Amino acid sequence: MLGSIYAMVAVALTLSIGVLRFLNFSIPGLFMIGGMVAWASLLSGMPWPLAIGVALVAGALASLLVERFTWRWMRSAQHFVPLVSSMAFLLLFEHLAVICWGSELRTLPALFVDADWRIAGLIISLPQLAGLVCSIALIWVLTLVLLRTRLGRGLRTIAEDSDTALLLGVDIYRWSS
């Protein structure tokens, strides 16, 4: 399970470096915000699907905040400025989480209690297997989006050469103010 989470963070970092040309240090903090919001939602009695939706919305809003203040406003600054700004957001998210939820280890309630397969002395946890399958599926869908859609072609063009992408008609400044 932990390996699939690391894989998702690695894919997010790779996409950030490839398209934006800077290492967005706030990405692990965004994952943490989503996880903590899911935990708090489940603790308040919210059903799993709704808690996951709320966590995704919270992570998306936090990432839009980071994008607005680390990339959009600072895209013409020196290369280290967005890097430092994204590190500041990571520290901000971590400290806000400690203030809101404390620093103790939090675990999500088990969705399937004792849902394990035992095969020849090997124990396979179904929730961990489901997490692995979901991670692989999400990475596969992202790969398909990048390879077979107009959005993916635009992102790949921007990652290769943003000046050429602009000449080819890709709106690299979409939604910027």
Side-chain angles (χ1 to χ4, degrees):
M1 178 73 163
L2 193 56
S4 61
I5 293 171
Y6 286 155
M8 298 288 286
V9 171
V11 166
L13 287 169
T14 302
L15 193 59
S16 172
I17 292 168
V19 175
L20 299 177
R21 301 264 191 251
F22 85 95
L23 179 59
N24 187 351
F25 282 114
S26 68
I27 288 174
L30 298 171
F31 275 75
M32 181 259 321
I33 292 290
M36 292 306 292
V37 168
W39 172 80
S41 299
L42 289 169
L43 191 67
S44 71
M46 199 175 288
W48 271 91
L50 189 57
I52 291 170
V54 168
L56 288 173
V57 167
L61 291 175
S63 69
L64 287 173
L65 180 74
V66 171
E67 188 271 339
R68 171 63 70 183
F69 291 108
T70 63
W71 175 247
R72 208 173 283 197
W73 281 359
M74 299 181 191
R75 102 172 103 225
S76 61
Q78 293 184 6
H79 70 280
F80 64 87
V81 175
L83 185 75
V84 172
S85 179
S86 70
M87 179 65 82
F89 268 105
L90 175 62
L91 294 172
L92 176 70
F93 291 152
E94 287 176 352
H95 286 92
L96 286 175
V98 168
I99 290 169
C100 289
W101 298 297
S103 61
E104 299 83 30
L105 178 67
R106 308 288 186 197
T107 58
L108 294 174
L111 186 58
F112 305 107
V113 180
D114 295 330
D116 297 333
W117 285 342
R118 298 179 188 277
I119 303 170
L122 180 69
I123 301 172
I124 300 172
S125 170
L126 289 182
Q128 289 184 350
L129 185 61
L132 177 65
V133 168
C134 285
S135 293
I136 290 171
L138 287 171
I139 292 170
W140 180 70
V141 166
L142 178 63
T143 301
L144 289 178
V145 165
L146 289 174
L147 291 176
R148 299 198 174 149
T149 65
R150 182 180 169 106
L151 171 69
R153 193 174 355 178
L155 287 173
R156 286 184 289 127
T157 306
I158 292 169
E160 186 68 33
D161 186 0
S162 59
D163 293 332
T164 303
L166 193 58
L167 289 173
L168 292 173
V170 177
D171 186 7
I172 63 174
Y173 302 114
R174 183 184 294 176
W175 300 302
S176 62
S177 50

